[in-house]
Amino acid sequence: MTVTRRRLLATATLGVASSVFKGVRLARAADDVLRVVIHSPLRIIDPIVTIARNTQMHGYMVYDTLFSLDSKRVPRPQMVDTYTVTEDGKTFVFKLRPSLRFHDGAPVTSRDVIASLQRWGKKDGLGRMLMEASELTAIEDDRFQLKLTKPFGMVLEALGKPGTYAPFIMPARIASASPDVAIKDATGSGPYIFKQDEWVPGSKSVYVRNPHWVSRSEPPDFLSGAKIPKIQRVEWVSFPDPNVALSALQTGEIDYFEYPPLDLVGIVQERRDLKLVKVDPWGAQGWIRPNSLHPPFNNPKARQALLHLVDQNQYMQTLGVPRDMYYQHCGAIFLCGTPLETDVGASDYLTPNAKLARSLLEEAGYNGEKLVVLHPTDIPDMDAATTVTAQSLRKIGVNVDLQAMAWGTLLGRRLKREAPAQGGWNLYHTLDFSFNIDTPMANSFLVSSCDDAGPGWPCDAEIETLRFAWAKEPDAAKRLDVAKQIQRRFYQTVPYVPWGQFSRPVATRASVQNIGATFIPVFWNLTKT
């Protein structure tokens, strides 16, 4: 294993962690308590307001969905008991399971489902298409109808959409809120209850088993099937440094570490009381996000310059990713190893070309102005990737203003549309996981709807037309053709720049068992011995 600067630092840090960080030391958790360190502490509890991964994880704790995908990407009934569809494929009638209860004991009704889907449909791209193409009607408390008024080929796939903006079902009294205003009440019908009275935003979140929960009986398969909350209490806790969190895992102060530093996974592999688990079979893809509102990245040539700067191997090696855990180069924007993988448009960027990158930046009008690069220092992946990009930019003469901050601060800062000199930004780095990337409608960073797009605000009508064409197309082979057109256009407009695809295993105590391949960490079905 390569000995990196981080590993050398960590070797020293791990030995003194307990004495240096006495303020965050914890007693070993009881067997019915699972103590977890996730990548960033929970600050927002509304999964319809933000795409933050920790809020998605929170959503899977407290909410349920009508359908969930299995490991073959087939939507399976979850809250739905049975359903029928007419021969012309235009009218669906869904019957809810009889045992569904919210955390407050109230039954889940068709009215709750319709209100939740309508709120979701105002925010999610696929949801918006479904709501615009259909009419929802409550037939009885436990039955509702979805009638298509326009062609739409992905009804069940939309209702079972995982990840970003998943169609979680909430009580109608909560789901009636604006999708742009974060809800304050996390009442759901999922396997765990959020302990709002114990929540310390940015530090600690607590979940306890839902006494009203009745699991499905089918075997667990990806996000479908049985979801049994076997652990009584799950605590998400925060540590000031990932190396200290890894030390806490070694001592048994925590049980589960979502983001162990990749150059330290060898430590986990060497210990019999710890293990690595690949929760997402397809892994993550890292991205540089340029701000398309301001120079020089309001010019596509400047964004193409970033593509020519990126050496994916360099990013993987700097992160310390073991060689058997990453692709040497992946130019597929819907990920390598997925049904929509393609190399269309990517061949010009296989080999870095700093000279061409400098030339394109000059053609875009760059003349030595300061470029603000947001630098999260508390997440090792983002820290390392940002450093690589900053060094590459400086080598071609770019005046980089690297601004250090915590990831939580970055999430707020990236919302600022002001010019970089007035508190805005030019670049930041992020990553996301398979089911948040692998289709044109799931990939929120591909959205190029100008002011309605996510931070970075890319703007391209052709990509938007193709995304919606993909969703309307019922034929899988034709969908692949549309996906190739999207990728070709992607490499012309460059809404973001991929810097590598790699595995991102979680590290746990060996006593934590039954962790499924679920794409996003979930805590149902886990046991702790």
Side-chain angles (χ1 to χ4, degrees):
M1 181 176 61
T2 302
V3 179
T4 65
R5 184 186 64 81
R6 177 181 297 281
R7 179 173 171 81
L8 288 171
L9 176 63
T11 302
T13 303
L14 293 174
V16 299
S18 297
S19 59
V20 173
F21 295 98
K22 285 181 179 177
V24 296
R25 288 208 66 188
L26 301 167
R28 185 183 289 266
D31 287 347
D32 60 351
V33 177
L34 189 78
R35 195 168 285 148
V36 179
V37 171
I38 65 172
H39 65 285
S40 181
L42 182 70
R43 297 175 187 276
I44 299 173
I45 61 172
D46 188 343
I48 300 300
V49 161
T50 177
I51 61 173
R53 178 174 169 86
N54 51 14
T55 305
Q56 294 173 40
M57 293 168 61
H58 162 83
Y60 281 102
M61 295 292 281
V62 301
Y63 300 113
D64 203 359
T65 51
L66 296 172
F67 286 80
S68 291
L69 296 191
D70 68 14
S71 55
K72 296 180 180 176
R73 301 171 184 251
V74 176
R76 301 292 183 188
Q78 197 66 35
M79 299 177 77
V80 166
D81 186 8
T82 59
Y83 70 97
T84 60
V85 55
T86 54
E87 200 166 313
D88 62 4
K90 293 183 177 178
T91 303
F92 295 74
V93 174
F94 301 98
K95 186 176 189 303
L96 299 173
R97 292 167 58 205
S99 54
L100 300 178
R101 292 284 186 277
F102 286 113
H103 298 154
D104 58 7
V108 179
T109 69
S110 299
R111 181 170 161 269
D112 300 308
V113 171
I114 290 173
S116 298
L117 294 181
Q118 289 174 337
R119 185 171 189 258
W120 163 69
K122 292 173 184 173
K123 206 63 180 278
D124 180 71
L126 195 59
R128 183 180 298 122
M129 287 188 69
L130 178 58
M131 292 300 101
E132 290 176 353
S134 65
E135 294 175 349
L136 289 167
T137 306
I139 300 173
E140 297 175 337
D141 279 354
D142 64 347
R143 284 201 310 149
F144 68 98
Q145 173 182 283
L146 185 152
K147 186 172 184 178
L148 292 177
T149 56
K150 300 177 183 176
F152 189 79
M154 303 177 66
V155 173
L156 301 187
E157 289 84 352
L159 297 179
K161 176 181 180 289
T164 303
Y165 298 140
F168 294 122
I169 304 303
M170 308 172 177
R173 62 180 170 81
I174 299 173
S176 59
S178 163
D180 297 318
V181 178
I183 60 173
K184 306 296 184 185
D185 184 340
T187 300
S189 66
Y192 281 95
I193 296 174
F194 181 57
K195 290 285 289 177
Q196 200 129 4
D197 57 330
E198 296 189 46
W199 183 32
V200 183
S203 179
K204 183 178 181 182
S205 306
V206 176
Y207 303 85
V208 296
R209 187 186 294 154
N210 173 13
H212 302 294
W213 175 256
V214 178
S215 173
R216 294 193 70 92
S217 58
E218 298 91 338
D221 184 6
F222 202 60
L223 290 170
S224 69
K227 301 176 181 178
I228 303 173
K230 296 181 177 178
I231 301 286
Q232 171 61 33
R233 180 182 171 96
V234 180
E235 299 177 353
W236 294 359
V237 296
S238 177
F239 275 77
D241 183 279
N243 293 333
V244 180
L246 186 57
S247 175
L249 184 69
Q250 292 176 286
T251 60
E253 296 169 64
I254 65 171
D255 305 294
Y256 188 117
F257 187 11
E258 183 197 6
Y259 266 28
L262 286 165
D263 60 346
L264 298 180
V265 297
I267 293 175
V268 179
Q269 291 170 323
E270 291 166 0
R271 292 185 55 131
R272 298 179 64 182
D273 58 342
L274 304 180
K275 63 181 178 181
L276 296 173
V277 182
K278 192 184 292 186
V279 172
D280 189 327
W282 296 274
Q285 189 177 69
W287 300 330
I288 305 170
R289 181 65 148 182
N291 188 337
S292 296
L293 292 183
H294 303 291
F297 299 115
N298 59 349
N299 187 319
K301 288 187 176 180
R303 303 194 295 270
Q304 290 165 3
L306 293 173
L307 281 170
H308 284 293
L309 270 186
V310 166
D311 178 346
Q312 294 190 2
N313 265 312
Q314 183 186 10
Y315 282 82
M316 296 298 101
Q317 291 168 10
T318 304
L319 263 67
V321 186
R323 182 61 194 90
D324 60 347
M325 291 172 58
Y326 68 88
Y327 283 85
Q328 194 158 12
H329 183 94
C330 177
I333 64 171
F334 302 119
L335 292 181
C336 291
T338 66
L340 297 186
E341 176 185 354
T342 172
D343 59 1
V344 169
S347 59
D348 290 344
Y349 305 101
L350 290 174
T351 304
N353 188 332
K355 184 177 179 181
L356 179 55
R358 184 187 298 114
S359 174
L360 285 167
L361 267 179
E362 290 171 356
E363 289 177 32
Y366 179 69
N367 194 28
E369 300 86 356
K370 191 177 289 185
L371 294 191
V372 174
V373 179
L374 307 184
H375 182 195
T377 55
D378 55 341
I379 298 183
D381 300 357
M382 300 301 108
D383 182 10
T386 304
T387 301
V388 173
T389 301
Q391 290 174 344
S392 298
L393 286 167
R394 284 170 174 153
K395 285 180 180 176
I396 62 169
V398 173
N399 182 6
V400 176
D401 179 8
L402 205 55
Q403 298 190 4
M405 61 190 68
W407 179 249
T409 303
L410 185 151
L411 293 177
R413 177 75 176 275
R414 69 178 181 175
L415 300 175
K416 292 184 177 295
R417 296 174 185 248
E418 292 87 348
Q422 278 80 50
W425 54 277
N426 293 110
L427 296 174
Y428 78 91
H429 295 67
T430 188
L431 61 82
D432 214 332
F433 291 81
S434 60
F435 275 73
N436 286 341
I437 305 174
D438 65 354
T439 74
M441 299 309 289
N443 188 333
S444 60
F445 279 69
L446 178 63
V447 176
S448 299
S449 54
C450 313
D451 288 345
D452 291 333
W457 304 281
C459 189
D460 186 70
E462 185 173 337
I463 282 186
E464 287 303 282
T465 298
L466 288 168
R467 287 177 61 240
F468 287 99
W470 179 88
K472 291 177 181 175
E473 177 55 62
D475 184 85
K478 292 180 180 177
R479 274 191 204 159
L480 179 57
D481 288 339
V482 178
K484 291 178 178 177
Q485 294 176 56
I486 292 173
Q487 181 161 307
R488 181 179 291 108
R489 184 60 180 168
F490 171 93
Y491 277 106
Q492 295 167 352
T493 65
V494 199
Y496 60 84
V497 176
W499 48 259
Q501 181 177 335
F502 56 103
S503 293
R504 198 67 187 83
V506 303
T508 75
R509 301 286 301 172
S511 57
V512 179
Q513 300 289 323
N514 302 317
I515 302 173
T518 47
F519 140 73
I520 192 167
V522 297
F523 299 97
W524 59 69
N525 297 334
L526 269 66
T527 58
K528 180 181 169 186
T529 57

